[in-house]
Amino acid sequence: MRIVSVVGTRPQLIKAAALSAALRARHDEVLVDTGQHWDEQMAGVFFAELGLPRPDHSPGIGGGGHAEQTGRMLLALEPILVAEHPDAVLVYGDTNSTLAGALAAAKLGIPVAHVEAGLRSFDRRMPEELNRVVADHLATWCFAPTPAAVANLAAEGIARGVLQVGDLMQDLAARVVAEVRDPAVLRPIGERLGLALRPGGFIFATVHRVENRDPAAMAAWTDILGAASRPDRPVVLALHPGTAAALDGAGIRLPASVRAVKPQGYRTTLALQLHAAAVLTDSGGVQRESAWLGTPCLVLRDSTEWVEAVAGSGDRMVLVGRDRARAAAELARVAPPATAEDEARARAASLRLEPAGAAEAIVAALADAEPAPAGGGAR
Ligand code: UD1
Ligand code: UDP
């Protein structure tokens, strides 16, 4: 099958890196990078680090509001899809690049394959929720990572073309984690970042959701991060450029105890999560990775699409929103400083992370399927 994959953001580059090699072993892939993320640390680094092939098309569309960004992507994608004439367009997740890829393809009658289909936060204020609902309803193949995602699709009347394949990001994490398991990996990372990092001796954080970029929310989570850090246990915040810009715009300064660093590469991020005392995040990807690694995690949101990760965490993953008292109490419970180092060392030593097999399942499902008729899809 000839497949155009549309990516654009950091997590999509990472997901494409988990799938691309398997996909290319069976199918012809044309990679389109919308350019939604464009900084070296947000995008370029992943091509080199994860062996992702260079894109065949890079329209370079980043920044701007949602309508402008999505509209420009649609304008750019349509002629690419017409010229490439694929049997299917594959989109990942829930970003504006996903929405534009799915919509441009569907309007041309090209079947859409949606990876990470069926996730719902049931919060339509989130741009991601709108994007994923539209992509799921346009898709011919809904590749769902979890049972809850399959159930969500069923509740919306989507059953045909739904396949539970597992989580593609788990495939990648399982492949890479052996390279960062030894706590000695912290030394070069710490030297590069100018931080003294020891197992369990820091907290790793990321924040980038739109809901966490308004001034009141930023005041609240910066406060949570400040309260979470101690002189001997700093918070290391890998700061998304959009969040950095929002903090600047609102004139909000991070507490001195919070050590903000640039966005990091995939291996470094996995290493920082594995060896941290705890993770504080609003990221879907980081939330799951911390669950697979077994690191305690406070989610700086009120809802999550990854209900299984929370349910399966043995109460070590907790949604705390922006509630400072709750965050402090939960952090003290899940990552008490006195035992954090022993816990981190034991976690890394005993970690067994199996691949989910999602890449193979997606590739096989696409190979099994006849290209659906133009304009219809399999549903
Ligand atoms: C997007 C996705 C979100 C995903 C996240 C992953 C949408 C609606 N949101 O959010 O679902 O979780 O990516 O990280 O698609 N910026 C830079 N350099 C970059 C990238 C972004 O400076 O390389 C700054 C710009 O100020 C930009 C802002 O970040 O305007 C927001 O970027 P955008 O891609 O629109 O949304 P994200 O918040 O990154
Ligand atoms: N990530 C990374 N560097 C960072 C922060 C995150 O490589 O500085 C990785 C993280 O390990 C995960 C993915 O990016 O694999 C998650 O992407 P992000 O948080 O941007 O988006 P989300 O998953 O919330 O859509």
Side-chain angles (χ1 to χ4, degrees), residues 10-11 14-15 94 116 119-121 126 132 146 167 169-170 173 204-209 211-212 266 269-270 273-274 278-314 316-321 353:
R10 168 170 67 190
I14 292 170
K15 287 164 202 171
D94 52 23
E116 282 192 6
L119 297 165
R120 296 290 181 270
S121 64
M126 290 179 71
R132 54 172 95 98
T146 62
D167 196 325
M169 290 185 82
Q170 185 176 334
F204 179 66
T206 78
V207 184
H208 75 271
R209 293 275 152 214
E211 75 206 54
N212 276 327
Y266 179 78
T269 305
L270 214 57
Q273 291 182 75
L274 176 60
V279 167
L280 270 56
T281 193
D282 62 5
S283 156
V286 173
Q287 189 183 325
R288 278 125 75 207
E289 285 161 358
S290 69
W292 298 323
L293 299 173
T295 308
C297 179
L298 304 192
V299 180
L300 302 167
R301 291 179 52 191
D302 297 317
S303 63
T304 183
E305 304 78 29
W306 301 99
V307 288
E308 285 97 341
V310 176
S313 74
R316 287 159 58 80
M317 177 177 291
V318 193
L319 302 188
V320 297
L353 181 59

Side-chain angles (χ1 to χ4, degrees), residues 36-274:
Q36 182 173 341
H37 287 174
W38 65 89
D39 284 350
E40 181 59 20
Q41 294 106 330
M42 292 294 289
V45 69
F46 300 106
F47 285 92
E49 184 185 13
L50 300 177
L52 189 61
R54 299 310 306 174
D56 300 285
H57 301 273
S58 306
I61 297 159
H66 287 261
E68 182 197 344
Q69 189 183 82
T70 312
R72 287 174 61 215
M73 286 177 189
L74 280 169
L75 287 172
L77 288 172
E78 188 174 78
I80 293 172
L81 297 183
V82 168
E84 294 290 354
H85 204 62
D87 299 310
V89 168
L90 190 145
V91 293
Y92 296 89
D94 52 23
T95 71
N96 288 344
S97 297
T98 311
L99 174 66
L103 198 49
K107 292 260 182 189
L108 290 168
I110 304 167
V112 173
H114 186 202
V115 176
E116 282 192 6
L119 297 165
R120 296 290 181 270
S121 64
F122 303 101
D123 180 355
R124 293 234 168 155
R125 291 168 302 179
M126 290 179 71
E128 292 86 356
E129 185 80 351
L130 305 176
N131 293 344
R132 54 172 95 98
V133 166
V134 174
D136 284 343
H137 283 263
L138 293 176
T140 294
W141 296 273
C142 282
F143 294 121
T146 62
V150 173
N152 291 336
L153 291 167
E156 292 176 24
I158 304 175
R160 274 189 82 183
V162 174
L163 190 65
Q164 189 185 317
V165 294
D167 196 325
L168 195 53
M169 290 185 82
Q170 185 176 334
D171 288 350
L172 185 66
R175 200 160 80 210
V176 171
V177 77
E179 299 170 38
V180 301
R181 177 201 289 272
D182 187 339
V185 74
L186 289 177
R187 180 190 283 267
I189 294 173
E191 281 169 4
R192 187 165 51 74
L193 299 179
L195 300 169
L197 299 176
R198 57 185 174 75
F202 64 96
I203 288 167
F204 179 66
T206 78
V207 184
H208 75 271
R209 293 275 152 214
V210 172
E211 75 206 54
N212 276 327
R213 285 194 192 146
D214 82 65
M218 289 191 290
W221 67 253
T222 53
D223 211 22
I224 289 176
L225 265 50
S229 56
R230 305 157 29 120
D232 58 340
R233 194 167 89 170
V235 169
V236 180
L237 171 64
L239 194 51
H240 186 297
T243 310
L247 287 167
D248 274 356
I252 295 176
R253 293 170 67 93
L254 289 165
S257 53
V258 175
R259 312 299 297 268
V261 298
K262 295 275 184 211
Q264 298 297 304
Y266 179 78
R267 280 177 180 72
T268 299
T269 305
L270 214 57
L272 290 171
Q273 291 182 75
L274 176 60

Side-chain angles (χ1 to χ4, degrees), residues 22-43:
L23 196 66
R24 284 172 188 231
R26 253 341 244 270
H27 303 282
D28 292 332
E29 185 187 38
V30 175
L31 187 63
V32 180
D33 176 9
T34 62
Q36 182 173 341
H37 287 174
W38 65 89
D39 284 350
E40 181 59 20
Q41 294 106 330
M42 292 294 289

